[in-house]
Amino acid sequence: MTVLRLLRLTAPADFADWYAASRAYTRHVADGMGLDDADAIDGARVVERLRADHARLSPAEARSVAATLLADGAFSEPYCEWLPTWYELALLAPVRYGDWRLRRVAATVAGAADVTVTAPRFSRPHDVTIDGRSALARVSGFRERFLLADALLHLEWFVHAAAADGIEVPPALVDRTRRESLSYYGGDRESLSPEVRRFQRLLFADDAWVARVNDRYDLRSPLFGVWERLLRAERDRLAAE
Protein backbone atom coordinates (compact mmCIF):
# COMPACT_ATOMS: atom_id res chain seq x y z
CA MET A 1 0.00 0.00 0.00
CA THR A 2 2.80 2.43 0.81
CA VAL A 3 4.34 2.30 -2.68
CA LEU A 4 0.97 2.45 -4.42
CA ARG A 5 0.00 5.57 -2.49
CA LEU A 6 3.31 7.24 -3.36
CA LEU A 7 2.59 6.74 -7.06
CA ARG A 8 0.21 9.69 -6.95
CA LEU A 9 2.98 12.08 -5.82
CA THR A 10 4.39 13.59 -9.00
CA ALA A 11 4.53 17.39 -8.69
CA PRO A 12 6.59 19.60 -6.34
CA ALA A 13 3.38 20.72 -4.61
CA ASP A 14 2.70 17.10 -3.66
CA PHE A 15 5.85 17.14 -1.54
CA ALA A 16 5.04 20.27 0.48
CA ASP A 17 4.02 18.27 3.55
CA TRP A 18 6.99 15.95 3.06
CA TYR A 19 9.40 18.90 3.04
CA ALA A 20 7.59 20.42 6.04
CA ALA A 21 8.25 17.27 8.08
CA SER A 22 11.92 17.21 7.11
CA ARG A 23 12.47 20.92 7.70
CA ALA A 24 10.78 20.67 11.11
CA TYR A 25 13.24 17.92 12.02
CA THR A 26 16.24 19.98 10.91
CA ARG A 27 14.99 22.99 12.88
CA HIS A 28 14.27 20.87 15.98
CA VAL A 29 17.79 19.43 16.08
CA ALA A 30 19.49 22.76 15.32
CA ASP A 31 17.47 24.60 17.98
CA GLY A 32 18.13 21.86 20.52
CA MET A 33 21.89 22.11 19.96
CA GLY A 34 21.83 25.92 20.00
CA LEU A 35 23.25 26.17 16.47
CA ASP A 36 23.33 29.54 14.75
CA ASP A 37 20.96 30.39 11.89
CA ALA A 38 18.46 27.64 12.70
CA ASP A 39 15.75 30.04 11.49
CA ALA A 40 17.59 31.28 8.40
CA ILE A 41 15.00 29.47 6.30
CA ASP A 42 11.34 30.27 6.99
CA GLY A 43 9.96 26.76 6.70
CA ALA A 44 6.31 27.81 6.81
CA ARG A 45 6.80 30.28 3.94
CA VAL A 46 8.71 27.71 1.90
CA VAL A 47 5.92 25.17 2.35
CA GLU A 48 3.31 27.75 1.31
CA ARG A 49 5.25 28.67 -1.83
CA LEU A 50 6.01 25.06 -2.67
CA ARG A 51 2.35 24.18 -2.37
CA ALA A 52 1.18 27.15 -4.48
CA ASP A 53 3.92 27.50 -7.12
CA HIS A 54 7.46 26.18 -6.71
CA ALA A 55 8.72 28.81 -9.20
CA ARG A 56 8.16 31.43 -6.48
CA LEU A 57 10.85 29.93 -4.26
CA SER A 58 13.97 32.03 -3.80
CA PRO A 59 17.30 30.36 -4.66
CA ALA A 60 18.00 29.74 -0.95
CA GLU A 61 14.53 28.26 -0.44
CA ALA A 62 14.79 26.09 -3.54
CA ARG A 63 18.19 24.86 -2.39
CA SER A 64 16.70 23.88 0.97
CA VAL A 65 13.85 21.97 -0.67
CA ALA A 66 15.98 20.23 -3.28
CA ALA A 67 18.76 19.29 -0.85
CA THR A 68 16.26 17.93 1.65
CA LEU A 69 14.40 15.82 -0.91
CA LEU A 70 17.66 14.50 -2.37
CA ALA A 71 18.85 13.51 1.10
CA ASP A 72 15.54 11.80 1.85
CA GLY A 73 15.75 9.87 -1.42
CA ALA A 74 19.38 8.82 -1.00
CA PHE A 75 18.94 7.76 2.62
CA SER A 76 16.99 4.52 2.33
CA GLU A 77 19.11 2.22 0.16
CA PRO A 78 22.30 2.61 2.23
CA TYR A 79 20.17 2.25 5.37
CA CYS A 80 18.82 -1.07 4.15
CA GLU A 81 22.35 -2.39 3.66
CA TRP A 82 22.92 -2.11 7.42
CA LEU A 83 19.95 -4.35 8.13
CA PRO A 84 19.41 -8.11 7.63
CA THR A 85 19.48 -9.33 4.03
CA TRP A 86 15.80 -10.31 4.02
CA TYR A 87 14.87 -6.73 4.93
CA GLU A 88 17.14 -5.20 2.32
CA LEU A 89 15.82 -7.42 -0.47
CA ALA A 90 12.19 -6.83 0.48
CA LEU A 91 12.55 -3.05 0.33
CA LEU A 92 15.07 -2.58 -2.48
CA ALA A 93 12.54 -1.93 -5.25
CA PRO A 94 10.34 0.48 -3.22
CA VAL A 95 13.26 2.55 -1.93
CA ARG A 96 14.77 2.84 -5.40
CA TYR A 97 11.46 4.05 -6.73
CA GLY A 98 11.21 6.58 -3.91
CA ASP A 99 14.73 7.84 -4.59
CA TRP A 100 13.94 8.22 -8.31
CA ARG A 101 10.76 10.14 -7.59
CA LEU A 102 12.38 12.47 -5.05
CA ARG A 103 15.32 13.14 -7.39
CA ARG A 104 12.99 14.14 -10.21
CA VAL A 105 11.06 16.56 -8.01
CA ALA A 106 14.27 17.98 -6.51
CA ALA A 107 15.64 18.58 -10.01
CA THR A 108 12.46 20.41 -11.01
CA VAL A 109 12.64 22.69 -7.97
CA ALA A 110 16.37 23.38 -8.35
CA GLY A 111 16.03 23.99 -12.08
CA ALA A 112 13.28 26.56 -11.66
CA ALA A 113 15.53 28.58 -9.33
CA ASP A 114 18.71 27.92 -11.35
CA VAL A 115 20.56 26.41 -8.39
CA THR A 116 22.80 23.36 -8.28
CA VAL A 117 22.27 20.81 -5.52
CA THR A 118 23.84 17.40 -5.10
CA ALA A 119 22.71 14.37 -3.11
CA PRO A 120 24.75 13.31 -0.09
CA ARG A 121 26.65 10.04 0.01
CA PHE A 122 25.62 7.99 3.02
CA SER A 123 27.89 5.47 4.72
CA ARG A 124 27.44 1.80 3.92
CA PRO A 125 28.68 -1.11 6.06
CA HIS A 126 31.67 -1.80 3.81
CA ASP A 127 32.78 1.84 4.28
CA VAL A 128 32.95 1.70 8.08
CA THR A 129 35.14 -0.06 10.62
CA ILE A 130 35.24 0.05 14.41
CA ASP A 131 38.70 -0.55 15.85
CA GLY A 132 39.73 -2.18 12.60
CA ARG A 133 36.78 -4.56 12.45
CA SER A 134 33.60 -4.50 10.43
CA ALA A 135 31.08 -2.11 11.98
CA LEU A 136 28.60 -4.99 12.19
CA ALA A 137 31.04 -7.47 13.75
CA ARG A 138 29.56 -7.15 17.26
CA VAL A 139 25.99 -6.27 16.29
CA SER A 140 23.25 -8.86 15.90
CA GLY A 141 19.48 -8.65 15.65
CA PHE A 142 17.22 -6.29 13.76
CA ARG A 143 16.88 -3.67 16.54
CA GLU A 144 20.63 -3.38 17.12
CA ARG A 145 21.36 -2.99 13.42
CA PHE A 146 18.49 -0.55 13.00
CA LEU A 147 19.77 1.72 15.79
CA LEU A 148 23.38 1.59 14.62
CA ALA A 149 22.33 2.52 11.10
CA ASP A 150 20.12 5.36 12.27
CA ALA A 151 22.68 6.76 14.71
CA LEU A 152 25.14 7.14 11.85
CA LEU A 153 22.94 7.99 8.88
CA HIS A 154 20.64 10.51 10.53
CA LEU A 155 23.80 12.39 11.61
CA GLU A 156 24.97 12.46 7.99
CA TRP A 157 21.48 13.47 6.81
CA PHE A 158 21.32 16.34 9.29
CA VAL A 159 24.75 17.71 8.37
CA HIS A 160 23.74 17.79 4.69
CA ALA A 161 20.31 19.36 5.25
CA ALA A 162 21.66 21.87 7.77
CA ALA A 163 24.36 23.06 5.37
CA ALA A 164 21.73 23.63 2.67
CA ASP A 165 19.70 25.67 5.16
CA GLY A 166 22.67 27.86 6.11
CA ILE A 167 23.19 26.19 9.49
CA GLU A 168 26.80 25.54 10.45
CA VAL A 169 27.35 22.33 12.42
CA PRO A 170 30.76 22.35 14.17
CA PRO A 171 32.97 19.75 12.45
CA ALA A 172 34.49 18.71 15.79
CA LEU A 173 31.01 17.90 17.11
CA VAL A 174 30.20 15.88 13.99
CA ASP A 175 33.46 13.93 14.17
CA ARG A 176 33.06 13.20 17.88
CA THR A 177 29.43 12.18 17.46
CA ARG A 178 30.27 9.85 14.59
CA ARG A 179 33.16 8.24 16.46
CA GLU A 180 31.35 7.79 19.76
CA SER A 181 28.10 6.65 18.18
CA LEU A 182 29.76 4.00 16.05
CA SER A 183 31.56 2.61 19.09
CA TYR A 184 28.50 2.81 21.33
CA TYR A 185 25.93 1.32 18.97
CA GLY A 186 28.56 -1.04 17.56
CA GLY A 187 29.11 -2.60 20.97
CA ASP A 188 32.57 -1.21 21.83
CA ARG A 189 31.60 1.64 24.18
CA GLU A 190 29.46 1.66 27.33
CA SER A 191 28.15 5.23 27.21
CA LEU A 192 28.06 8.46 25.23
CA SER A 193 29.54 11.73 26.43
CA PRO A 194 26.87 14.23 27.59
CA GLU A 195 27.01 16.46 24.48
CA VAL A 196 26.92 13.53 22.07
CA ARG A 197 24.07 11.91 24.01
CA ARG A 198 22.13 15.17 23.80
CA PHE A 199 22.82 15.41 20.05
CA GLN A 200 21.71 11.82 19.44
CA ARG A 201 18.61 12.29 21.59
CA LEU A 202 17.61 15.15 19.31
CA LEU A 203 18.52 13.23 16.16
CA PHE A 204 16.41 10.27 17.27
CA ALA A 205 13.39 12.57 17.04
CA ASP A 206 13.09 11.26 13.49
CA ASP A 207 10.23 9.20 14.89
CA ALA A 208 8.19 12.42 14.54
CA TRP A 209 9.12 12.61 10.86
CA VAL A 210 8.02 9.01 10.31
CA ALA A 211 4.70 9.61 12.08
CA ARG A 212 4.04 12.86 10.24
CA VAL A 213 4.70 11.46 6.76
CA ASN A 214 2.73 8.30 7.51
CA ASP A 215 -0.23 10.41 8.62
CA ARG A 216 -0.13 13.27 6.07
CA TYR A 217 0.13 10.91 3.09
CA ASP A 218 -2.26 8.33 4.51
CA LEU A 219 0.30 5.58 3.93
CA ARG A 220 -1.13 3.26 6.59
CA SER A 221 2.26 1.60 6.73
CA PRO A 222 2.84 -1.04 9.44
CA LEU A 223 6.55 -0.76 8.64
CA PHE A 224 6.49 2.96 9.42
CA GLY A 225 4.81 2.05 12.70
CA VAL A 226 7.70 -0.29 13.59
CA TRP A 227 10.25 2.39 12.73
CA GLU A 228 8.40 4.97 14.81
CA ARG A 229 8.28 2.75 17.90
CA LEU A 230 11.96 1.83 17.71
CA LEU A 231 13.07 5.43 17.22
CA ARG A 232 10.86 6.81 19.97
CA ALA A 233 11.96 4.14 22.42
CA GLU A 234 15.62 4.94 21.82
CA ARG A 235 15.02 8.68 22.14
CA ASP A 236 13.19 8.12 25.44
CA ARG A 237 15.97 5.86 26.67
CA LEU A 238 18.65 8.46 25.89
CA ALA A 239 16.58 11.15 27.63
CA ALA A 240 16.32 8.99 30.75
CA GLU A 241 20.07 8.40 31.07
Side-chain angles (χ1 to χ4, degrees):
M1 289 300 295
T2 300
V3 178
L4 293 177
R5 290 177 185 277
L6 289 177
L7 288 174
R8 65 193 180 194
L9 307 181
T10 59
D14 296 333
F15 287 87
D17 287 329
W18 187 295
Y19 169 79
S22 297
R23 170 58 190 167
Y25 175 74
T26 304
R27 176 70 183 269
H28 170 77
V29 177
D31 279 342
M33 292 303 294
L35 302 179
D36 293 337
D37 298 319
D39 58 353
I41 294 291
D42 185 338
R45 185 177 65 188
V46 174
V47 170
E48 179 183 346
R49 290 179 174 180
L50 184 59
R51 201 185 308 279
D53 178 7
H54 69 275
R56 293 173 53 204
L57 294 168
S58 70
E61 293 170 341
R63 186 175 294 107
S64 175
V65 173
T68 297
L69 296 183
L70 285 173
D72 287 342
F75 183 91
S76 295
E77 186 168 342
Y79 198 104
C80 287
E81 290 188 16
W82 288 88
L83 299 172
T85 302
W86 59 265
Y87 181 96
E88 179 184 358
L89 293 177
L91 291 184
L92 189 58
V95 301
R96 284 181 175 175
Y97 168 78
D99 185 19
W100 174 80
R101 177 65 73 191
L102 288 162
R103 283 177 180 272
R104 284 177 63 90
V105 173
T108 298
V109 171
D114 196 24
V115 297
T116 301
V117 184
T118 57
R121 182 183 182 278
F122 290 104
S123 296
R124 298 172 187 253
H126 59 73
D127 299 327
V128 182
T129 59
I130 301 174
D131 292 335
R133 295 175 300 187
S134 165
L136 294 172
R138 298 183 61 182
V139 179
S140 62
F142 180 84
R143 176 183 176 277
E144 289 74 18
R145 287 183 174 224
F146 182 92
L147 295 179
L148 171 59
D150 202 57
L152 175 60
L153 301 192
H154 65 197
L155 171 65
E156 295 175 347
W157 186 100
F158 173 73
V159 171
H160 175 83
D165 287 357
I167 303 167
E168 183 176 352
V169 188
L173 172 62
V174 175
D175 291 344
R176 188 166 68 254
T177 300
R178 179 185 176 90
R179 184 174 62 254
E180 288 189 22
S181 298
L182 280 171
S183 294
Y184 180 65
Y185 289 100
D188 275 3
R189 185 186 178 99
E190 292 186 358
S191 63
L192 298 171
S193 62
E195 187 176 32
V196 171
R197 184 172 65 250
R198 175 187 172 198
F199 197 11
Q200 281 292 4
R201 175 176 56 80
L202 291 162
L203 289 167
F204 269 105
D206 41 6
D207 70 293
W209 182 94
V210 172
R212 189 167 177 175
V213 169
N214 200 24
D215 176 64
R216 295 294 177 88
Y217 290 95
D218 193 27
L219 299 182
R220 306 177 191 176
S221 170
L223 185 59
F224 271 38
V226 172
W227 295 346
E228 183 184 352
R229 288 192 295 274
L230 289 171
L231 295 168
R232 184 189 304 119
E234 182 60 14
R235 176 166 52 84
D236 290 346
R237 190 188 66 80
L238 289 171
E241 285 187 353

